[in-house]
Amino acid sequence: MARNIQSLERAAAMLRLLAGGERRLGLSDIASSLGLAKGTAHGILRTLQQEGFVEQDDASGRYQLGAELLRLGTTYLDVHELRARALVWTDDLARSSGESVYLGVFHQQGVLITHHVFRPDDSRQVLEIGAMQPLHSTALGKVLSAYDPVAHSEALEADRKPFTDRTTCDLDAFEHVLDITRARGYAADVEETWEGVASVAAPIHDRRRMPVGAVGITGAVERLCKDGELRPELIAAVRDCARAVSRDLGAGRF
């Protein structure tokens, strides 16, 4: 039988301790509870903290579970329940808008496409489930960056490279875009990622009112825009879809 890796066993025990005990624990408490030397416990905590699995309170120096671990704990909801709840609504959105519909969640440093409904015509299309999109230029990515604190941090720290001459790369300008996104409840991408392509997306929230994904439509600029602006009826349809999925996830009315 293969031997277990001791450091991983200790890290797992440490996470269970933080999950089951008081809200925050000090280094001495953690070390004594697990029978570890303080130096050993501190080394494991430092590694877990660097990976986002543990956070340290600046004032007290105590440790608690980090946002990345909490995110992993809700992966089933983000990918499976979210997609299941969105199936009917995304199909309806594709029919009413006549465009392709995408459902995305924050993953690593980008947007993971978890569901894709083809544009309801006879054109040749490629299924994009599992594809990754950038946070800073796509409508889905901007929504997640605006509403999800972890996605926001990743987008700010990432190399926001230009895909077209319309891509917003400057940090202050990008933050302004996110402010606008939060204020109006949706994000736009008009030829910022792909020439001739426009998108609009809105956030999906769960029963805790936490952002768990985004839904949007993508299509040719000439179909989605009129006089250089996204068509209001398409924006409304996307927002209605996002609200409907959120309600199905228990978020109530927004």
Side-chain angles (χ1 to χ4, degrees):
M1 182 182 294
R3 296 178 59 187
N4 293 339
I5 301 175
Q6 189 180 55
S7 59
L8 292 180
E9 288 182 329
R10 289 172 170 174
M14 200 169 286
L15 293 174
R16 291 192 190 99
L17 179 66
L18 290 170
E22 301 175 9
R23 179 170 173 78
R24 295 188 180 95
L25 293 173
L27 174 60
S28 297
D29 298 325
I30 294 171
S32 61
S33 296
L34 300 178
L36 300 174
K38 282 188 178 182
T40 301
H42 185 256
I44 296 172
L45 284 167
R46 186 171 63 248
T47 300
L48 292 172
Q49 186 177 2
Q50 289 171 350
E51 296 298 324
F53 296 143
V54 164
E55 296 174 354
Q56 186 178 27
D57 181 66
D58 292 334
S60 66
R62 291 174 173 266
Y63 295 90
Q64 65 182 22
L65 294 180
E68 183 62 22
L69 187 65
L70 297 177
R71 176 177 298 281
L72 291 177
T74 59
T75 297
Y76 181 84
L77 170 64
D78 289 350
V79 178
H80 297 283
E81 186 180 356
L82 174 58
R83 182 176 181 275
R85 298 287 186 177
L87 287 176
V88 173
W89 300 111
T90 51
D91 283 349
D92 286 348
L93 178 59
R95 282 193 294 269
S96 66
S97 67
E99 301 296 342
S100 300
V101 177
Y102 294 87
L103 188 70
V105 299
F106 173 63
H107 179 67
Q108 294 178 348
Q109 287 81 43
V111 182
L112 173 66
I113 302 301
T114 59
H115 186 51
H116 174 198
V117 184
F118 283 164
R119 185 172 64 254
D121 59 17
D122 296 327
S123 62
R124 183 181 178 86
Q125 300 173 63
V126 177
L127 189 65
E128 295 186 45
I129 294 175
M132 294 292 294
Q133 293 186 1
L135 288 170
H136 70 288
S137 63
T138 62
L140 292 171
K142 292 176 192 176
V143 164
L144 294 171
S145 299
Y147 288 90
D148 185 323
V150 180
H152 180 242
S153 297
E154 289 290 347
L156 296 188
E157 295 173 5
D159 178 18
R160 295 177 299 280
K161 66 178 183 179
F163 296 105
T164 73
D165 58 6
R166 293 172 175 261
T167 308
T168 301
C169 302
D170 176 75
L171 179 58
D172 290 339
F174 180 64
E175 285 278 37
H176 180 62
V177 168
L178 298 187
D179 288 340
I180 293 174
T181 298
R182 285 185 286 266
R184 64 190 184 182
Y186 71 90
D189 167 10
V190 180
E191 297 190 282
E192 295 179 52
T193 309
W194 302 282
E195 296 283 355
V197 177
S199 302
V200 57
I204 296 172
H205 296 80
D206 67 6
R207 61 185 61 87
R208 301 163 300 161
R209 299 297 183 95
M210 297 295 291
V212 293
V215 64
I217 59 174
T218 297
V221 170
E222 58 266 26
R223 293 197 305 268
L224 266 67
C225 297
K226 183 177 181 180
D227 299 327
E229 300 291 335
L230 286 165
R231 290 164 53 193
E233 67 270 24
L234 295 179
I235 296 171
V238 170
R239 296 191 67 192
D240 286 346
C241 178
R243 283 192 288 261
V245 178
S246 298
R247 285 196 299 270
D248 274 6
L249 288 171
R253 296 188 64 182
F254 272 82

